[in-house]
Amino acid sequence: MAELLIDPLYRGPDDSANGGYACGRIASLAGGPVEITLRRPPPLGVPLRVDEGRVTDGEALVAEFEPAEVELDLPPPPAWEQAVEAQRPDVGSPFPHCFVCGVRRAPDEGLHIHAGPLGAGPLVAAPWVPRPDTAAREFVWCALDCPGAYACGVTSRGTLLLGRLAARVLRVPEPGERCVVAGWQLGAEGRKLEAGTALWSAGELLGYARATWIEPRT
């Protein structure tokens, strides 16, 4: 059994954790490649119990996880200049303080990954330069999170919530290393949308992920 406490700094919505960060922390505690299914928004600032494939807040089930490998056909990595040109801060986001993509984070707080369309193709892309405080494995999971929502058209849908995420981290980038992240939609069924994401540095693959996003009922 382990305990997980998520600092409010790492929020997505104002009252719950960023999904990628929560999943990255759970994966670290699990000690191997896993797929995490979020059953409810991970709460902030309260001790969560991580034990036998379950994350709980008292009696409430927060997430489940199980061993999994990620299989994806990856696109060619976008160039740094292409990613810089593609990025689009989402000023209309319902989550402006999201640790990954929020537009109301200070320059030295959050990841500031603002994925936007890469030309007329199916990819979205953005640059990311890790700071010393974000050069860790859980932040690679973060970088592989929100771009998938933008690949699934979150700006036109209004809101998408992370339901499931499985990632493989090959290397954690160094502080100051110029990285590029891309996302693409894999399919859709009703309110569920599937996305792939990948992270590179100078063409070197650093990690990739497969996610399920949920469009809330209106």
Side-chain angles (χ1 to χ4, degrees):
M1 185 184 73
E3 185 176 279
L4 170 62
L5 185 73
I6 300 176
D7 190 287
L9 172 67
Y10 304 114
R11 64 194 182 274
D14 283 344
D15 57 357
S16 61
N18 168 265
Y21 179 82
C23 290
R25 290 286 306 278
I26 294 167
S28 294
L29 293 172
V34 291
E35 180 179 75
I36 297 114
T37 300
L38 297 175
R39 298 302 184 187
R40 63 179 60 208
L44 300 166
V46 298
L48 306 175
R49 177 174 174 171
V50 182
D51 189 27
E52 297 183 347
R54 291 163 54 90
V55 181
T56 53
D57 176 13
E59 297 299 318
L61 179 63
V62 175
E64 296 176 292
F65 58 93
E66 61 182 3
E69 296 292 340
V70 185
E71 296 184 0
L72 278 177
D73 292 326
L74 302 178
W80 169 262
E81 293 78 11
Q82 291 177 303
V84 170
E85 179 66 24
Q87 65 182 333
R88 295 288 187 277
D90 184 4
V91 296
S93 171
F95 309 129
H97 301 110
C98 175
F99 181 74
V100 177
C101 64
V103 295
R104 294 186 184 173
R105 289 281 187 162
D108 60 348
E109 182 185 89
L111 300 191
H112 299 279
I113 295 176
H114 306 299
L118 188 67
L123 296 183
V124 298
W128 175 43
V129 180
R131 301 184 306 273
D133 64 315
T134 59
R137 184 170 293 267
E138 60 264 33
F139 299 114
V140 176
W141 280 73
C142 287
L144 294 169
D145 174 19
C146 294
Y150 286 90
C152 290
V154 68
T155 52
S156 60
R157 295 175 182 274
T159 303
L160 290 175
L161 301 175
L162 184 66
R164 183 174 292 124
L165 184 63
R168 184 179 181 195
V169 179
L170 304 175
R171 180 172 72 82
V172 175
E174 298 292 331
E177 192 169 354
R178 298 203 306 183
C179 301
V180 169
V181 62
W184 59 99
Q185 187 171 335
L186 296 171
E189 182 179 351
R191 296 184 300 112
K192 293 183 179 182
L193 301 102
E194 303 286 334
T197 52
L199 180 72
W200 298 269
S201 174
E204 176 193 356
L205 181 64
L206 303 184
Y208 53 96
R210 184 181 185 112
T212 300
W213 291 87
I214 309 296
E215 187 173 16
R217 296 184 187 276
T218 56

